[in-house]
Amino acid sequence: MDDQYFMKMALDLAVKGIGCTSPNPMVGAVVVKDGRLVGSGYHQMVGGPHAEVNAIEAAGEQANGATLYVTLEPCNHTGRTPPCTQKIIEAGIRRVVVAMMDPNTHVAGGGAKFLSEQGIPVTTGVCRQQARKINEVFIKFIRTRRPYIFVKCASTLDGRIAARSGDAKWVTGEKARQFVHRLRHAVDGILVGINTVRLDNPSLTTRLPDVDGKDPVRIILDTHLTISPRAKLLQQASDSETIVVTGQDPASEKVAALERMGGSVLRSELKNGLIEMDALMDQLGALGLTSILIEGGSRVLSSAFRSGIVDKVFFFYAPKILGGDDGIPICSGPGPDLMSQSIPVKDISVHRFGDDVMIEGYLAPLPDN
């Protein structure tokens, strides 16, 4: 069994932290001695012990003389927790294998260098691409201070997200919708436009059968602050807040009414009468939101694509055809003149959820490190 074998075990552990570690990365670690797994762990929550610490403590005395496999370079600084490098040295770890270096430019390489200086050999880059994919949100946020943007949409085969009446229940089946709720659990925020709130009156919460799902922060684009106080997302019990993004000069009585309902108002720049999406991303990043799932509707999706903020897409296609040109399209508003001006989607993967098909792909590469 080689280094990749054990690193893949650590990567499988890392993803157990989905939805629980933001703004920290997801990290997994295993301790191996004489070719045998003797300890494992992952980063379970913000402020809790790091993966290396959990794995070493699980190994106990067997960590002495063992090899540590960890998906992210061990930290050599004190943050919410002490430096992991000290724990590694004290445990008597003989060798450390790392999947990816820390993307934080202020600390990158510090942990590996320190361990090497203490006589502990460090191997880096094992399963690096898999580790980067797991932590694509963390990599972008730590390097740019802007949230990683996912777009999800569900349409018929002829490209309609709703019938002409606005009815969209349901385009896709239960398995596809469960996947979307897992996405909601994973991200910090979910964003829709005010038209979606009016038509669908959504809760924008996470509902999972096997996990106590985390509700994302609900972000509503509402240029003129017209949201109804009876909107479901203002009525429910949830640990996450609702932020309504509006123009620079909303009516004070509307702001007061929304705040009485427990919502908050975020004033943002406008462009052609709509929320300026690129500037908004800086504001949301400043609030500490590392990832946003945009769920629509068609005008919001179009604005997001045109502004160039989207990193990754999940397009669901149901085996249904509306058969007219009056349903609601995936995107609305002006597009480019030429097909050559379309937005390329790369690194495509295709998934099945019952009869529904999902296309996953990337619009923007990650910052390298």
Side-chain angles (χ1 to χ4, degrees):
M1 290 178 284
D2 59 9
D3 286 345
Q4 287 196 4
Y5 175 85
F6 290 112
M7 186 60 76
K8 286 176 180 177
M9 292 177 63
L11 290 166
D12 288 342
L13 286 167
V15 297
K16 289 186 174 184
I18 287 176
C20 302
T21 65
S22 178
N24 289 354
M26 291 180 284
V27 185
V30 297
V31 180
V32 176
K33 189 170 187 178
D34 300 325
R36 184 172 60 89
L37 178 70
V38 295
S40 63
Y42 68 98
H43 184 42
Q44 299 179 19
M45 67 180 73
V46 175
H50 287 187
E52 304 95 310
V53 173
N54 287 331
I56 289 170
E57 290 187 350
E61 293 181 358
Q62 295 184 86
N64 187 34
T67 297
L68 172 70
Y69 293 84
V70 60
T71 60
L72 181 70
E73 177 187 12
C75 65
N76 190 41
H77 60 280
T78 300
R80 291 186 175 95
T81 58
C84 292
T85 50
Q86 198 60 44
K87 183 75 172 181
I88 291 168
I89 292 167
E90 291 171 357
I93 292 291
R94 176 181 60 82
R95 175 178 174 243
V96 175
V97 183
V98 174
M100 61 174 281
M101 303 298 281
D102 197 317
N104 187 338
T105 55
H106 298 295
V107 300
K113 180 182 178 184
F114 179 76
L115 291 172
S116 296
E117 290 172 347
Q118 304 306 306
I120 300 175
V122 179
T123 301
T124 63
V126 177
C127 301
R128 177 175 178 270
Q129 288 307 114
Q130 296 98 309
R132 281 172 59 81
K133 183 168 184 177
I134 287 172
N135 276 312
E136 55 197 6
V137 166
F138 176 73
I139 293 170
K140 180 185 177 182
F141 185 77
I142 204 69
R143 297 291 292 273
T144 68
R145 310 313 295 185
R146 286 163 62 96
Y148 195 95
I149 304 301
F150 301 93
V151 160
K152 164 262 168 183
C153 70
S155 83
T156 61
L157 292 180
D158 48 351
R160 305 292 162 172
I161 61 174
R164 62 184 176 186
S165 64
D167 175 50
K169 288 187 167 61
W170 294 102
V171 177
T172 53
E174 178 63 25
K175 290 182 178 179
R177 297 199 297 275
Q178 283 297 307
F179 178 83
V180 173
H181 280 278
R182 294 191 184 279
L183 285 178
R184 291 182 179 184
H185 173 66
V187 299
D188 289 346
I190 181 171
L191 186 151
V192 301
I194 187 61
N195 285 338
T196 295
V197 176
R198 289 195 194 105
L199 289 170
D200 298 344
N201 196 20
S203 297
L204 301 182
T205 55
T206 298
R207 299 178 295 279
L208 292 169
D210 56 344
V211 176
D212 185 14
K214 171 184 66 68
D215 290 340
V217 172
R218 295 168 290 278
I219 305 161
I220 315 303
L221 304 188
D222 186 7
T223 306
H224 304 293
L225 208 57
T226 59
I227 189 168
S228 168
R230 294 183 296 278
K232 192 184 296 183
L233 51 83
L234 293 173
Q235 302 286 339
Q236 65 206 353
S238 174
D239 292 334
S240 295
E241 64 176 324
T242 297
I243 300 173
V244 180
V245 183
T246 188
Q248 295 288 348
D249 299 305
S252 58
E253 64 273 14
K254 290 184 176 181
V255 173
L258 180 64
E259 290 176 344
R260 283 196 298 270
M261 296 296 297
S264 60
V265 173
L266 179 64
R267 296 163 177 82
S268 192
E269 296 178 25
L270 300 183
K271 184 177 181 180
N272 299 323
L274 300 174
I275 303 297
E276 212 290 296
M277 299 288 271
D278 190 61
L280 176 60
M281 294 306 109
D282 288 328
Q283 292 178 278
L284 296 177
L287 294 176
L289 299 177
T290 69
S291 56
I292 306 292
L293 174 63
I294 299 179
E295 288 203 17
S298 60
R299 190 166 67 173
V300 170
L301 293 181
S302 183
S303 294
F305 287 126
R306 284 200 304 268
S307 65
I309 65 168
V310 180
D311 295 290
K312 188 174 185 178
V313 295
F314 299 98
F315 271 50
F316 291 86
Y317 290 97
K320 301 174 181 178
I321 300 170
L322 279 174
D325 64 358
D326 53 356
I328 299 176
I330 295 172
C331 293
S332 63
D337 294 324
L338 303 173
M339 188 62 68
S340 60
Q341 297 170 321
S342 59
I343 303 168
V345 182
K346 301 179 179 180
D347 298 326
I348 296 295
S349 56
V350 180
H351 311 266
R352 284 283 299 271
F353 295 91
D355 290 334
D356 302 316
V357 176
M358 184 190 80
I359 295 177
E360 173 186 356
Y362 291 84
L363 275 62
L366 281 175
D368 207 352
N369 69 295

